[in-house]
Coordinates of all heavy atoms in Angstrom, one line a residue:
Q1 N 4.5 -23.5 11.2 CA 3.8 -22.2 11.6 C 4.8 -21.1 11.5 O 5.9 -21.2 11.3 CB 3.3 -22.4 13.1 CG 2.3 -23.5 13.4 CD 1.8 -23.5 14.7 OE1 2.0 -22.5 15.5 NE2 1.2 -24.5 15.2
L2 N 4.2 -19.9 11.5 CA 4.9 -18.7 11.5 C 5.7 -18.4 12.8 O 5.2 -18.8 13.9 CB 4.1 -17.5 11.1 CG 3.4 -17.5 9.7 CD1 2.5 -16.3 9.6 CD2 4.4 -17.5 8.6
R3 N 6.8 -17.7 12.7 CA 7.4 -17.3 13.9 C 6.7 -16.2 14.5 O 6.3 -15.2 13.9 CB 8.9 -16.8 13.6 CG 9.7 -16.6 14.8 CD 11.3 -16.4 14.4 NE 11.8 -17.5 13.7 CZ 13.1 -17.5 13.3 NH1 13.9 -16.6 13.5 NH2 13.5 -18.6 12.6
E4 N 6.4 -16.3 15.8 CA 5.7 -15.4 16.6 C 6.5 -14.7 17.6 O 7.3 -15.4 18.3 CB 4.4 -15.9 17.1 CG 4.5 -16.9 18.2 CD 3.2 -17.1 19.0 OE1 2.3 -16.4 18.7 OE2 3.2 -18.2 19.6
L5 N 6.1 -13.4 17.9 CA 6.8 -12.8 19.1 C 6.1 -13.3 20.4 O 4.9 -13.2 20.3 CB 6.7 -11.3 18.9 CG 7.2 -10.4 20.0 CD1 8.6 -10.6 20.3 CD2 6.8 -9.0 19.9
V6 N 6.9 -13.8 21.3 CA 6.5 -14.1 22.5 C 6.6 -13.1 23.6 O 5.6 -12.8 24.3 CB 7.2 -15.4 23.0 CG1 6.7 -15.8 24.5 CG2 7.0 -16.5 22.1
S7 N 7.7 -12.4 23.6 CA 7.9 -11.4 24.6 C 9.1 -10.5 24.3 O 10.0 -10.9 23.6 CB 8.2 -12.0 26.0 OG 8.4 -11.0 27.0
F8 N 9.1 -9.2 24.7 CA 10.2 -8.4 24.6 C 10.4 -7.5 25.7 O 9.3 -7.2 26.4 CB 10.2 -7.6 23.2 CG 9.2 -6.5 23.1 CD1 9.6 -5.3 23.5 CD2 7.9 -6.8 22.7 CE1 8.8 -4.2 23.3 CE2 7.1 -5.7 22.5 CZ 7.4 -4.4 22.8
I9 N 11.5 -7.0 26.0 CA 11.8 -6.1 27.1 C 12.6 -4.9 26.5 O 13.7 -5.2 25.8 CB 12.6 -6.9 28.2 CG1 12.7 -5.9 29.5 CG2 13.8 -7.5 27.7 CD1 13.1 -6.6 30.7
T10 N 12.2 -3.8 26.9 CA 12.9 -2.6 26.4 C 14.2 -2.4 27.2 O 14.5 -2.9 28.2 CB 12.1 -1.4 26.4 OG1 11.9 -1.0 27.9 CG2 10.7 -1.6 25.8
S11 N 15.0 -1.4 26.7 CA 16.2 -1.1 27.4 C 15.9 -0.5 28.7 O 16.8 -0.6 29.7 CB 17.0 0.0 26.5 OG 16.4 1.2 26.3
G12 N 14.7 0.0 28.9 CA 14.4 0.6 30.2 C 13.7 -0.4 31.2 O 13.4 -0.1 32.3
G13 N 13.6 -1.7 30.6 CA 13.0 -2.7 31.5 C 11.6 -3.0 31.4 O 11.0 -3.8 32.2
T14 N 10.9 -2.4 30.5 CA 9.5 -2.6 30.3 C 9.2 -3.9 29.5 O 9.7 -4.0 28.4 CB 8.8 -1.4 29.6 OG1 9.0 -0.2 30.4 CG2 7.3 -1.7 29.4
A15 N 8.4 -4.8 30.1 CA 8.2 -5.9 29.5 C 6.8 -6.1 28.8 O 5.9 -5.5 29.2 CB 8.2 -7.1 30.6
N16 N 6.8 -6.8 27.7 CA 5.6 -7.0 26.9 C 5.4 -8.6 26.6 O 6.4 -9.2 26.4 CB 5.6 -6.1 25.7 CG 5.7 -4.6 25.9 OD1 4.6 -4.1 26.1 ND2 6.8 -4.2 26.1
Y17 N 4.1 -9.0 26.5 CA 4.0 -10.4 26.2 C 2.8 -10.7 25.3 O 1.8 -9.8 25.3 CB 3.7 -11.1 27.6 CG 4.7 -11.0 28.6 CD1 4.5 -9.9 29.5 CD2 5.7 -11.9 28.7 CE1 5.5 -9.8 30.5 CE2 6.7 -11.8 29.7 CZ 6.6 -10.8 30.6 OH 7.5 -10.6 31.6
V18 N 2.9 -11.7 24.5 CA 1.7 -12.1 23.7 C 0.6 -12.6 24.7 O 1.0 -13.2 25.8 CB 2.1 -13.1 22.7 CG1 2.6 -14.5 23.3 CG2 1.0 -13.3 21.7
D19 N -0.6 -12.5 24.3 CA -1.7 -12.8 25.2 C -1.6 -14.2 25.8 O -1.9 -14.4 27.0 CB -3.0 -12.5 24.6 CG -3.4 -11.1 24.4 OD1 -2.8 -10.2 25.1 OD2 -4.3 -10.7 23.7
S20 N -1.3 -15.1 24.9 CA -1.2 -16.5 25.3 C -0.3 -16.9 26.4 O -0.4 -17.9 26.9 CB -0.9 -17.4 24.1 OG 0.3 -17.2 23.6
V21 N 0.7 -16.1 26.6 CA 1.7 -16.4 27.7 C 1.7 -15.5 29.0 O 2.3 -15.7 29.9 CB 3.1 -16.4 27.1 CG1 3.2 -17.3 26.0 CG2 3.6 -14.9 26.9
K22 N 0.7 -14.5 28.9 CA 0.6 -13.6 30.1 C 0.2 -14.3 31.2 O -0.6 -15.2 31.3 CB -0.4 -12.5 29.8 CG 0.0 -11.5 28.7 CD -1.0 -10.4 28.4 CE -0.6 -9.5 27.4 NZ -1.6 -8.4 27.2
G23 N 1.0 -13.9 32.4 CA 0.8 -14.6 33.6 C 1.6 -15.9 33.8 O 1.6 -16.4 34.9
R24 N 2.2 -16.4 32.8 CA 3.0 -17.7 32.8 C 4.4 -17.4 32.5 O 5.3 -18.1 33.1 CB 2.4 -18.7 31.8 CG 0.9 -19.1 32.1 CD 0.5 -20.2 31.2 NE 0.6 -19.9 29.8 CZ 1.4 -20.5 28.9 NH1 2.1 -21.5 29.3 NH2 1.3 -20.2 27.7
F25 N 4.7 -16.5 31.7 CA 6.1 -16.3 31.2 C 6.6 -15.0 31.8 O 5.8 -14.0 31.8 CB 6.3 -16.3 29.7 CG 6.1 -17.6 29.0 CD1 5.7 -18.7 29.7 CD2 6.4 -17.6 27.6 CE1 5.4 -19.9 29.0 CE2 6.2 -18.9 27.0 CZ 5.8 -20.0 27.8
T26 N 7.8 -14.8 32.1 CA 8.4 -13.6 32.6 C 9.8 -13.5 31.9 O 10.7 -14.3 31.9 CB 8.7 -13.6 34.1 OG1 7.4 -13.9 34.8 CG2 9.3 -12.3 34.6
I27 N 9.9 -12.2 31.2 CA 11.2 -11.9 30.6 C 11.9 -11.0 31.5 O 11.4 -10.2 32.3 CB 11.0 -11.2 29.2 CG1 12.3 -11.1 28.5 CG2 10.3 -10.0 29.4 CD1 12.0 -10.7 27.0
S28 N 13.3 -11.2 31.6 CA 14.1 -10.3 32.4 C 15.4 -10.1 31.8 O 15.8 -10.8 30.8 CB 14.2 -10.8 33.8 OG 14.9 -12.1 33.8
R29 N 16.2 -9.1 32.3 CA 17.5 -8.9 31.6 C 18.5 -8.6 32.7 O 18.2 -7.9 33.7 CB 17.5 -7.9 30.5 CG 17.1 -6.4 31.0 CD 16.8 -5.5 29.9 NE 17.9 -5.4 29.0 CZ 17.8 -4.8 27.7 NH1 16.7 -4.6 27.1 NH2 18.9 -4.9 26.9
D30 N 19.7 -9.1 32.5 CA 20.8 -8.7 33.4 C 21.8 -8.1 32.6 O 22.7 -8.8 31.9 CB 21.3 -10.0 34.2 CG 22.3 -9.7 35.1 OD1 23.0 -8.6 35.1 OD2 22.5 -10.5 36.1
N31 N 21.9 -6.8 32.6 CA 22.9 -6.1 31.7 C 24.3 -6.3 32.0 O 25.2 -6.4 31.2 CB 22.5 -4.6 31.6 CG 21.2 -4.4 30.8 OD1 20.9 -5.1 29.9 ND2 20.6 -3.2 31.2
A32 N 24.4 -6.5 33.4 CA 25.9 -6.8 33.9 C 26.4 -8.0 33.2 O 27.6 -8.3 33.0 CB 25.8 -6.8 35.2

């Protein structure tokens, strides 16, 4: 299968998800 985007988070902390994982996956970042 093709590689697909699952989730990304902007430098400002805004998260986005592919529909199939919404409500199940959470992306986060710890810049420190």
Side-chain angles (χ1 to χ4, degrees):
Q1 300 186 16
L2 298 175
R3 188 173 299 186
E4 69 167 341
L5 175 65
V6 177
S7 178
F8 72 94
I9 184 168
T10 69
S11 60
T14 301
N16 298 269
Y17 305 91
V18 68
D19 287 345
S20 61
V21 308
K22 288 181 178 178
R24 301 188 297 118
F25 291 10
T26 301
I27 190 170
S28 62
R29 63 193 301 159
D30 187 340
N31 290 333

